[in-house]
Amino acid sequence: MQRMRTGIFVGSFDPFTIGHDNVVRRALPLFDRLIIGIGVNERKQCLQDADTRKRKIQELYRNESRITVKTYSDLTIDFAKREKADFIVKGVRSAKDFEYEREQADINRRLGDIETLLLFAEPGLEAVSSSLVRELVHFGKDVRQFLP
């Protein structure tokens, strides 16, 4: 019997944007199970607490039984091992993102023997980031077009 293939898509997701949703929808056909892992860093100032982010993402994918949403506060590689993930999924918007994710992928491969799958942003989504949305919220702008 073939083992289920599991991917984890990780980030702070503060907030979860249309770019994140695009990565999830493109990654889902590759896995039997996709876990969206919300990394919790108590030192980081967030717009929404982790439980709120988790609840909103769960609601977005309420009709997709292959998606699970979890929070974690340790290293991504430890979360991946705990979840028996086959791959870490990351979205890449720019060359800067690529270099950062390449370094992370190398460390995760060394520490946990797990591969990272990079999905490049679709045209039109490269500029959409959680930090951009947080800044727009700070200045009172309507950000609904950037949220799923």
Side-chain angles (χ1 to χ4, degrees):
M1 186 164 116
Q2 213 175 25
R3 183 166 98 58
M4 285 183 52
R5 185 165 295 226
T6 300
I8 60 168
F9 177 45
V10 295
S12 61
F13 305 125
D14 181 44
F16 193 83
T17 69
I18 57 175
H20 296 132
D21 179 55
N22 181 266
V23 170
V24 168
R25 294 185 190 283
R26 290 168 50 212
L28 193 56
L30 305 174
F31 301 102
D32 300 301
R33 204 170 70 114
L34 184 65
I35 299 166
I36 299 173
I38 302 169
V40 178
N41 181 343
E42 298 301 329
R43 296 175 306 230
K44 189 174 178 181
Q45 182 74 25
C46 292
L47 270 180
Q48 303 170 326
D49 63 47
D51 289 336
T52 300
R53 287 178 274 162
K54 180 179 178 181
R55 190 173 55 255
K56 286 182 175 186
I57 296 168
Q58 284 173 322
E59 178 62 21
L60 181 62
Y61 300 111
R62 68 185 172 278
N63 295 323
E64 181 48 72
S65 62
R66 296 177 295 158
I67 294 178
T68 305
V69 183
K70 298 185 176 191
T71 60
Y72 69 100
S73 57
D74 52 347
L75 292 173
T76 295
I77 192 61
D78 294 331
F79 177 63
K81 286 179 182 179
R82 201 167 44 253
E83 297 299 327
K84 297 178 176 44
D86 299 291
F87 292 90
I88 297 170
V89 177
K90 297 292 287 192
V92 176
R93 294 173 293 126
S94 65
K96 182 180 169 185
D97 280 358
F98 176 79
E99 282 304 315
Y100 175 79
E101 295 302 347
R102 185 191 57 76
E103 291 171 3
Q104 293 297 307
D106 183 48
I107 294 299
N108 288 331
R109 193 172 36 256
R110 287 175 183 224
L111 292 176
D113 195 31
I114 188 168
E115 291 293 335
T116 299
L117 175 65
L118 300 178
L119 294 179
F120 292 91
E122 285 193 359
L125 295 177
E126 305 96 331
V128 178
S129 70
S130 293
S131 55
L132 166 83
V133 173
R134 285 193 307 273
E135 184 169 356
L136 292 173
V137 166
H138 174 77
F139 288 102
K141 299 299 180 188
D142 182 354
V143 296
R144 287 180 288 188
Q145 66 179 312
F146 303 113
L147 306 175

